[in-house]
Amino acid sequence: MEILVMGGQLILGLSILVGLHELGHLLAAKAFGMRVEQYFIGFPPKVWSIKRGETEYGIGAIPLGGFVKISGMIDESLDTAHTDAEPQPYEFRSKPAWQRLIVMLGGIIVNVIVGIMIFVILAYKNGNTYLATKDAKYGIVAYDLAKSIGLQTGDKIIKVNGKEITDFNEIRSSDVFLGNNSSYTIERNGKQTDIYIPNNFVDKLADKKAAGQFIEPIEPFKVAELVPGQPATKAGLKAGDMITSANGKPIQFYHEFTDVVKPLKGKPLTLTVNRNGQPVTLSMTTTPDGTIGFYPELLLPMTTQEYTFGEALSVGTQRAFQVVFDNIKGFGKIFRGEVSASKALSGPIGIAQNLFGGIWRWDRFWTVTGLLSMALAFMNALPIPALDGGHATILSYEIISGRKPSDRFLEGAQKVGMVLLLGLMAFAIFNDVFKAVF
């Protein structure tokens, strides 16, 4: 079921974004009197289509992209039959370069607008709920990666890159992991000291073995929800119970509980819980994964900041463009050799697993869709032949120089770009499968 949920979210999200991206091209082309022959969401083979006027609208069987076919344009179809005939007034090639440039940028512009709209609406609807640094009063849980750079459980992080922070999430922000020479200022045993983060640390953080385990706040907890049929339910654990000991070891915080239970893996476990002020003892056997089947309610107080629409417009726009800035920083680290491409790049499988997840939550779905919209705009803007950015680069050269490249050059550039893109897609999918298996 989780696989179906992940796949369903990925297909729906990409279909929305690709459909709107290609709609940007279509509307711009029609606005300048160009003939649009086809508008498809998904790649062939064709599943369904309908013709309205001069345009065939349809759905392809492979839901990982889409296309708009504009008369007189050398695109991914590599249809060059028109190049020997005289340009027609309705063809792409017969229009001024500035109009063709707007058509090529239409999809990118729409994706940017959609990304901003999603983040603005989410900011206005949900505000910003976060753990204030002052409320993380017990300090941090330092997992192995955190320990490797000198952090310890119980440390209190009071500054990031020399600046005081108010939101605990700033500790794990992209500015820390994608920046250079980042540091934490911590308080340990009443003394302050600086912990420096290696520039290639994000490469370790992306490793499958790390599983995202770096830093968490130390949090008291109680049982929030039980999973039917699991050991906790069978043993009689109830929502609202507070676990006070596990196999005789006192428990106050959630990480203390997982530290005891995780290594057991199929072994007996005895819990003492506080239930309405009374101690209750429960016995069970953990699962082979070292779990007992409940969701915790973490008890540190959360702070919610609400936004007016004007504030949400500013915050949402900033969040949207932060995705672009993060992509630029990430590529920079790849080119400098600080991050391996195999860990940094993900295809559709990785996106479904790591971003959407196996539970359908609409807020998360729209957050990821907004992120992908901005990422799609950024990737398409790259000056690579066959991408919108490649076409835009050639058209910009034509506008500046006044010289139009030959159809043979455009066809060759398109072929080179298609080889690069197909190779990149094959690498990303193989990389996803390799990481999932190994």
Side-chain angles (χ1 to χ4, degrees):
M1 181 58 71
E2 285 190 359
I3 294 175
L4 292 176
V5 171
M6 287 188 289
Q9 291 182 91
L10 177 66
I11 291 172
L12 178 60
L14 285 181
S15 297
I16 291 170
L17 296 180
V18 169
L20 291 171
H21 178 93
E22 300 301 337
L23 183 64
H25 293 309
L26 178 143
L27 293 176
K30 286 183 175 288
F32 293 125
M34 300 178 194
R35 177 179 292 175
V36 179
E37 298 175 16
Q38 291 180 307
Y39 167 88
F40 268 71
I41 300 174
F43 293 127
K46 178 170 64 177
V47 174
W48 170 88
S49 72
I50 187 171
K51 190 157 187 178
R52 288 289 183 268
E54 62 191 17
T55 307
E56 180 187 14
Y57 301 87
I59 297 174
I62 304 175
L64 297 178
F67 63 92
V68 166
K69 183 169 176 54
I70 303 171
S71 297
M73 176 182 171
I74 298 177
D75 56 15
E76 58 269 17
S77 68
L78 296 177
D79 180 9
T80 58
H82 62 276
T83 56
D84 294 330
E86 282 293 318
Q88 299 300 311
Y90 56 78
E91 288 187 324
F92 178 85
R93 59 179 174 155
S94 70
K95 301 297 181 179
W98 68 269
Q99 292 185 3
R100 285 179 276 137
L101 178 61
I102 292 174
V103 170
M104 295 317 305
L105 295 177
I108 296 172
I109 292 169
V110 167
N111 278 136
V112 169
I113 292 172
V114 169
I116 290 173
M117 286 179 59
I118 289 174
F119 282 110
V120 167
I121 292 170
L122 288 172
Y124 183 67
K125 173 179 175 286
N126 299 332
N128 181 30
T129 299
Y130 63 96
L131 174 63
T133 308
K134 64 180 178 61
D135 291 326
K137 57 186 178 182
Y138 303 106
I140 63 164
V141 181
Y143 295 103
D144 288 343
L145 272 180
K147 292 175 182 176
S148 72
I149 62 172
L151 291 168
Q152 297 179 11
T153 295
D155 288 346
K156 294 180 181 179
I157 299 178
I158 55 178
K159 293 180 183 179
V160 172
N161 294 337
K163 297 180 181 179
E164 293 188 0
I165 56 173
T166 57
D167 182 345
F168 187 87
N169 283 328
E170 293 179 65
I171 294 169
R172 299 172 292 202
S173 72
S174 59
D175 288 340
V176 175
F177 299 133
L178 296 179
N180 292 316
N181 304 316
S182 298
S183 67
Y184 294 133
T185 300
I186 66 165
E187 184 180 294
R188 180 187 298 166
N189 300 324
K191 296 180 180 179
Q192 291 188 12
T193 187
D194 291 330
I195 301 290
Y196 292 93
I197 302 167
N199 290 338
N200 66 345
F201 187 71
V202 69
D203 193 53
K204 298 177 182 178
L205 198 66
D207 196 290
K208 180 180 177 182
K209 295 177 182 178
Q213 296 287 293
F214 177 50
I215 290 174
E216 297 292 344
I218 295 176
E219 298 213 48
F221 73 105
K222 64 181 178 181
V223 176
E225 185 180 349
L226 293 150
V227 181
Q230 292 295 298
T233 303
K234 294 177 181 179
L237 192 67
K238 294 184 178 181
D241 286 350
M242 297 189 72
I243 298 172
T244 56
S245 74
N247 281 356
K249 184 175 181 178
I251 299 294
Q252 182 182 1
F253 304 112
Y254 186 65
H255 76 279
E256 294 175 334
F257 171 77
T258 57
D259 284 348
V260 172
V261 175
K262 244 182 184 178
L264 294 178
K265 296 186 178 181
K267 295 181 180 179
L269 173 67
T270 300
L271 298 180
T272 301
V273 304
N274 182 331
R275 181 178 295 166
N276 300 322
Q278 298 296 319
V280 176
T281 300
L282 304 171
S283 297
M284 64 199 76
T285 299
T286 65
T287 68
D289 296 328
T291 62
I292 61 173
F294 77 90
Y295 296 101
E297 178 183 342
L298 304 174
L299 300 178
L300 289 179
M302 302 296 288
T303 299
T304 298
Q305 179 182 4
E306 296 184 353
Y307 299 117
T308 65
F309 183 76
E311 291 170 334
L313 190 62
S314 174
V315 170
T317 302
Q318 182 180 354
R319 289 176 180 173
F321 279 101
Q322 188 63 48
V323 176
V324 177
F325 301 147
D326 289 347
N327 271 277
I328 294 171
K329 291 177 183 177
F331 273 100
K333 283 193 172 287
I334 292 174
F335 292 140
R336 291 194 298 271
E338 295 172 1
V339 179
S340 63
S342 62
K343 292 179 182 177
L345 298 178
S346 290
I349 298 172
I351 292 171
Q353 287 180 324
N354 301 325
L355 295 181
F356 284 112
I359 300 174
W360 198 305
R361 296 191 178 103
W362 281 109
D363 278 350
R364 182 170 67 181
F365 170 82
W366 285 114
T367 298
V368 174
T369 301
L371 184 154
L372 290 178
S373 190
M374 297 302 295
L376 184 62
F378 169 76
M379 294 299 294
N380 268 285
L382 295 176
I384 298 174
L387 289 178
D388 296 342
H391 289 286
T393 300
I394 294 172
L395 286 165
S396 297
Y397 165 80
E398 181 181 341
I399 291 171
I400 294 169
S401 68
R403 295 193 298 271
K404 185 177 181 179
S406 67
D407 287 337
R408 178 172 293 184
F409 172 82
L410 295 176
E411 182 183 351
Q414 191 72 20
K415 288 178 179 178
V416 170
M418 290 297 294
V419 170
L420 289 173
L421 291 179
L422 290 173
L424 182 61
M425 179 61 75
F427 171 79
I429 293 175
F430 172 80
N431 194 39
D432 284 350
V433 173
F434 183 84
K435 287 190 287 188
V437 173
F438 299 102

